[in-house]
Amino acid sequence: MVEQRTTLRQLCLQYTNLAVDDISELEEMAAKLQFIAELTGTDIFIDALSKNGVDAIVLAWAYAKGNRSLYRSSVVGEMAYAASEPAVYQTFSTGKIARNIRGVSQEGVPIAQTVTPLFNTAGDMIGVLIMEKDISAEVYQEEQVEFLSRTAEHLSRSLMALTMTGWGWEEWLGNGIFVLNHKGEITYANKHAARLSGQLGGEEVLGKSFIAALPFTSLHDLAEGLKNPINFEFDDACYVVQAHPLIAGGELSGCVVSLQDVTELRQKERQLDMQSAIIQEINHRVKNTLQNVVSLLRLQMNRSKLEPVQQEFTACINRILSIARVHEVFAYQPWDCIDLQELAEYVLAKVVESQRLPAQTVNTQVLGQHIIISAAQAVPVGLVLNELVTNALKHGIKLAAYGEINVIIEQQQQEVRLTVSNDGCKPQQSPELIKNNKLGLYIVRLLICEQLGGVFDLRRENGATIAQVSFPLSSKEEEV
């Protein structure tokens, strides 16, 4: 004990700024270290702040004789750096007890420190008393718990419970389940997997290499390549395959492979694709047939020089072209429905392009929502758009050098509202007379009111002519 007192005093004089009386008080505390170590069963130290005011110097050390020390040799005279022993630095900085603060010993062992300040008679802190215990076992256990948690998550995702619980989840899932070992060999296959394997080869699958049946060279490649579901075709059969890796000890120890027979689904998809292609081809041919009808009407129209006759032929031709435009849109959109905004943009552009005067400038725009209407409604709506836009050109803009035509599409609950407005000359007849007398608007009223069950309104508002139709939005079920 005399030797330890001598060593403590020498270290204080060499490495600290402590006064002689403070050193004596630390020597008295050092004399009690062994009793404290035996009482707590831990390593006990006295440290003092070094001259740099940050790191500490170990002045004394004791450990319980019945326990193994954290250190193979004495650490007295070693520096306790703030980065490695944050509890010591914390107590020196705050003057308060720091309890169970984790750090690393001089020998790299994970430790928990409880540090209490030591004060002199004047109330100044002259050092700290440190109790250290080895928490290597705790840290290892925490790491194991974390690892087990991650492994459990992988097992849960990969349906590993099927191989252990016997809950019959495979019956509910309906997929073939294969469990592979680290070599990629099949160690388990549920009844769906066995049935699918029988369809493919008709032999016992347990012990066979699953990797050999797929374009992979190793289990790692298989787990990575099948991380997301992938389609595989075997002869006329089609399967969706996905792998769920099994991790043990941080290494890939196997895989759970899910195999789903989607042959019937793919066949139905191909049938639908073929049906869609046939219907698109029909729409294309209907459009071409209508174009031929238009050509015949134009030939007939050219045989007459009477302007009223030509005007009637032109109106008839435009109506047929409107139906052709709907079928042209059907040729590149889904055959059972159509986007009303796209249809309106297409019809508006084509009508203005074909009927405006050479020196006329007509600006157009389609505003509002993208509303999907059924195929049964598309043709009458296309005809209505044709009539309303034609009417706006002929009676609204007329001979004006400049004009605007706007189409607004809105939906309120299950009702579609279509508004066509134009600025231009004031019509010579009132909107009510026009609505009752003109054939084009009669067709609009016939299609909207009688065929689509809607309403039609034509009015003047703020110098513009506004034609508005509303009709209920039908569903596929209502058409069947």
Side-chain angles (χ1 to χ4, degrees):
M1 201 59 72
V2 174
E3 180 182 352
Q4 180 161 292
R5 284 174 177 266
T6 302
T7 303
L8 186 149
R9 182 171 290 272
Q10 290 174 346
L11 290 172
C12 287
L13 293 173
Q14 182 178 355
Y15 292 102
T16 74
N17 296 319
L18 292 172
V20 174
D21 291 342
D22 295 337
I23 296 174
S24 297
E25 291 194 35
L26 291 178
E27 287 176 336
E28 292 179 8
M29 178 59 68
K32 305 172 184 177
L33 281 191
Q34 190 62 47
F35 296 103
I36 300 173
E38 296 294 344
L39 181 64
T40 59
T42 60
D43 287 60
I44 303 294
F45 302 88
I46 294 177
D47 286 12
L49 201 60
S50 65
K51 291 180 180 180
N52 66 15
V54 177
D55 302 314
I57 181 76
V58 181
L59 301 178
W61 165 52
Y63 64 93
K65 299 302 181 182
N67 295 340
R68 182 180 177 183
S69 173
L70 291 171
Y71 302 90
R72 292 188 293 270
S73 59
S74 176
V75 293
V76 174
E78 298 284 341
M79 296 298 296
Y81 295 103
S84 299
E85 300 186 25
V88 175
Y89 176 76
Q90 180 178 326
T91 299
F92 273 121
S93 300
T94 64
K96 298 179 180 179
I97 297 176
R99 300 184 186 276
N100 292 319
I101 305 299
R102 292 191 174 187
V104 181
S105 70
Q106 285 91 334
E107 296 184 3
V109 178
I111 58 175
Q113 292 182 324
T114 296
V115 184
T116 183
L118 299 174
F119 298 98
N120 60 16
T121 55
D124 299 323
M125 189 167 63
I126 58 176
V128 293
L129 183 67
I130 306 167
M131 181 182 73
E132 288 187 2
K133 63 178 180 178
D134 184 355
I135 58 170
S136 300
E138 292 180 30
V139 172
Y140 175 76
Q141 185 176 11
E142 290 172 359
E143 291 175 349
Q144 286 298 106
V145 169
E146 184 181 357
F147 165 73
L148 290 174
S149 177
R150 292 197 306 267
T151 302
E153 184 179 350
H154 283 294
L155 290 175
S156 177
R157 287 203 306 264
S158 61
L159 306 179
M160 188 59 185
L162 296 177
T163 66
M164 300 181 291
T165 62
W167 281 4
W169 281 9
E170 70 273 26
E171 308 293 336
W172 171 73
L173 187 62
N175 289 2
I177 302 296
F178 296 93
V179 179
L180 315 182
N181 62 17
H182 66 285
K183 297 180 181 179
E185 298 170 343
I186 300 173
T187 60
Y188 169 83
N190 68 356
K191 73 173 189 177
H192 295 292
R195 175 178 56 81
L196 294 174
S197 299
Q199 294 175 356
L200 294 175
E203 59 182 26
E204 177 62 39
V205 295
L206 295 183
K208 301 293 183 180
S209 173
F210 193 87
I211 299 174
L214 298 173
F216 299 106
T217 57
S218 66
L219 184 67
H220 182 273
D221 290 341
L222 182 144
E224 190 65 27
L226 297 179
K227 184 183 300 182
N228 297 314
I230 292 180
N231 284 309
F232 283 98
E233 293 189 4
F234 301 94
D235 297 328
D236 295 331
C238 185
Y239 301 91
V240 173
V241 186
Q242 184 175 11
H244 308 267
L246 299 177
I247 308 296
E251 300 291 334
L252 181 65
S253 62
C255 276
V256 174
V257 179
S258 169
L259 189 70
Q260 182 183 9
D261 187 352
V262 293
T263 305
E264 185 177 352
L265 177 63
R266 295 293 179 263
Q267 288 175 348
K268 289 181 178 178
E269 287 177 352
R270 285 193 288 268
Q271 290 173 358
L272 286 174
D273 290 341
M274 185 179 301
Q275 184 180 11
S276 178
I278 291 172
I279 292 175
Q280 287 181 348
E281 178 62 22
I282 290 172
N283 281 312
H284 182 70
R285 294 191 179 189
V286 168
K287 183 201 74 170
N288 289 343
T289 301
L290 292 172
Q291 294 283 5
N292 291 334
V293 172
V294 167
S295 297
L296 293 173
L297 289 173
R298 281 178 176 154
L299 288 173
Q300 188 68 30
M301 178 181 69
N302 292 334
R303 296 184 63 183
S304 174
K305 301 301 181 182
L306 298 175
E307 184 175 348
V309 174
Q310 290 189 338
Q311 288 178 351
E312 291 301 324
F313 268 108
T314 300
C316 184
I317 287 171
N318 287 333
R319 290 175 186 123
I320 295 174
L321 285 175
S322 178
I323 299 174
R325 287 167 195 139
V326 174
H327 284 279
E328 186 172 350
V329 175
F330 275 143
Y332 63 83
Q333 281 202 2
W335 57 269
D336 58 345
C337 60
I338 197 168
D339 188 322
L340 180 53
Q341 189 175 88
E342 290 189 23
L343 176 62
E345 289 173 349
Y346 189 81
V347 171
L348 180 59
K350 292 295 183 181
V351 172
V352 171
E353 178 185 349
S354 63
Q355 297 195 36
R356 69 177 177 84
L357 299 176
Q360 229 174 15
T361 299
V362 180
N363 285 342
T364 63
Q365 62 176 343
V366 178
L367 305 172
Q369 303 165 258
H370 284 275
I371 300 173
I372 303 302
I373 62 174
S374 65
Q377 291 183 316
V379 172
V381 170
L383 278 170
V384 167
L385 278 168
N386 175 83
E387 297 299 335
L388 295 180
V389 174
T390 300
N391 189 68
L393 281 170
K394 290 174 62 178
H395 302 288
I397 298 174
K398 297 176 69 174
L399 301 177
Y402 174 84
E404 290 185 1
I405 299 177
N406 298 318
V407 178
I408 301 175
I409 301 169
E410 301 171 287
Q411 180 179 349
Q412 294 181 348
Q413 296 181 348
Q414 289 299 307
E415 184 176 81
V416 178
R417 181 179 297 168
L418 191 64
T419 304
V420 179
S421 64
N422 67 272
D423 66 337
C425 304
K426 183 178 180 180
Q428 296 176 352
Q429 294 177 298
S430 68
E432 192 62 33
L433 288 175
I434 294 175
K435 183 164 61 176
N436 291 331
N437 295 335
K438 294 297 181 179
L439 176 61
L441 297 183
Y442 170 77
I443 293 174
V444 171
R445 187 168 61 252
L446 185 67
L447 293 172
I448 292 297
C449 300
E450 297 189 17
Q451 186 167 339
L452 297 182
V455 294
F456 167 52
D457 179 53
L458 181 66
R459 64 185 184 274
R460 291 283 294 178
E461 191 175 286
N462 298 326
T465 302
I466 298 175
Q468 189 174 81
V469 296
S470 301
F471 58 92
L473 186 65
S474 69
S475 62
K476 294 180 188 178
E477 291 77 8
E478 292 173 344
E479 297 171 18
V480 176

